[in-house]
Amino acid sequence: MVQISEVKDSQSRESRTAAHTHIKGLGLDEFGNAHAIDGGFVGQKSAREACGIIVDLIKSKKMSGKAILLAGGPGTGKTALALAISQELGPKVPFCPIVGSELFSAEVKKTEALMENFRRSIGLRIKETKEVYEGEVTELTPEESENPLGGYGKTISHVIVGLKSAKGTKQLRLDPVIYESIQKERVAIGDVIYIEANTGAVKRVGRSDAYATEFDLEAEEYVPLPKGDVHKKKEIVQDVTLHDLDVANARPQGGQDVLSMMSQLLKPRKTEITEKLRHEVNKVVQKYIDQGVAELVPGVLFIDEVNMLDIECFTYLNRALESSIAPVVVLASNRGKTTVRGTDDLVSPHGCPPDLIDRLLIVRTLPYSADEIKSIIAKRAKIEGLALHPDALNKIAQQGVATSMRYALQLLAPAGILAGIAGRSEITVQDLEECQLLFLDARRSTTVLENTKGYL
Ligand SMILES: Nc1ncnc2c1ncn2[C@@H]1O[C@H](COP(=O)(O)OP(=O)(O)OP(=O)(O)O)[C@@H](O)[C@H]1O
Ligand SMILES: [Mg+2]
């Protein structure tokens, strides 16, 4: 007999942990107060509460064109906070994270790259009420006729489509052009589709759940039979970013209405996005906003390691923040006073020029106490599936205080491996000590370097 065992496919995903896997949100209550341990966060209360206010402002759309700086030492959770902000905002608000150094490439001008990311972080929600025919396909018969141009071949003169909804059924006689798009969407009998009355665009919604079987292998989305009549008005909501629209319209045959902009998404970019084109896109967008068809959703542009930007980028950023459609810009820096990149002697806090600093709301992240470090390490150990002996936890927390939390966090995984080799299920102090011998922290490594001359 053939043996069949179940394969759990989610396992690989669970065992993969990244640096911020444990962060699930800001962990605030309904009054915006931070609990000491919540949302994956430990401590850093006032910074979390400040970020909570920022999230509220973004949601109420009072925040666009403003900028926030998360400032604090390395490993104090700035990147984690930015991630939590994006989680609080939800998937419908664009969040575009970049690192300062990302803007410097040989192919694209740095200000151009900055602008592109600006536009990636501004969303547009387009609501259109469309006249549609929607239902489950009950019949799909192309009708052939003699080729009107003579010859032997036959052509499709039209196609009969039967649609069934909760309230009734309808038989439609459609143009062959629509038949082509039906074929493109791979529509079969039993699928739920809608056909836009004006344009004839066909969209497959999914498979009708009347056809759902228990042992279907393919990842099919089952949808209920549409409510109401077959012929009706339906509100269709689409979320795109301004950058998507730029890309769509950079193609030579770009249309001007929303639909043709949409339909061009995902195709390879052929021509450059110019300032003029962006201007055109803005005009169309403005028109849709005025007509009430579209709504602007300013999102967040997060620039980590902002001290990596140079003075040109900073002046550009200043100007871009003042434009009428701008996202919220969140910056992060772990630098104190440093020279601004691209200048010889302009020393400024956080590596940002004074005129930008002036526009910022600054949120400070503070170094962690020993207890907080201990809780964070315990959290990480749990996420990484490692068990720590209480003594080992104390030891690694001390390590975090003495060197850095990052170093302590890094030690976890190798210590886990050492424990595994020794056949223990728990990491002990001994494993940690061995790890410390194998892997140096920054300070010990520097001491080694200071005491050596010439080659290492
Ligand atoms: N308050 C916290 N609660 C839980 N985990 C935290 C907290 N703060 C930081 N971490 C975790 O510690 C690690 C370092 O934090 P993070 O990368 O956010 O630091 P950072 O401030 O961005 O540092 P850098 O300035 O070096 O970029 C990450 O794994 C992060 O998820
Ligand atoms: Mg960081």
Side-chain angles (χ1 to χ4, degrees), residues 78-79 304-305 332 406:
K78 298 180 295 296
T79 309
D304 211 348
E305 322 279 339
R406 276 239 174 82

Side-chain angles (χ1 to χ4, degrees), residues 5 24 28-29 47 70 73 106 114 140 145 179 187 193 210 212 216 253 356 390 430 435:
S5 60
K24 301 279 183 261
L28 304 175
D29 65 12
L70 300 171
L114 193 57
L140 194 63
S145 66
Y179 186 54
V187 174
I193 63 167
D216 243 351
Q253 58 273 56
L356 179 64
Q430 193 192 334
C435 251

Side-chain angles (χ1 to χ4, degrees), residues 18-23 40-44 48 72-81 304-305 333-334 365 368 376 379-380 405-406 409:
H20 304 290
T21 310
H22 59 295
I23 304 292
F41 269 104
V42 176
Q44 211 62 271
R48 277 159 59 201
T76 49
K78 298 180 295 296
T79 309
L81 280 170
D304 211 348
E305 322 279 339
S333 164
N334 59 12
T365 54
Y368 293 114
I376 294 175
K379 242 185 203 339
R380 282 300 303 184
M405 188 170 74
R406 276 239 174 82
L409 287 173

Side-chain angles (χ1 to χ4, degrees), residues 58-59 86 89-95 121 125 297-300:
I58 296 171
K59 280 188 178 158
S86 89
L89 287 172
K92 296 283 183 209
V93 180
F95 184 88
S121 21
R125 173 162 305 165
V297 186
V300 177

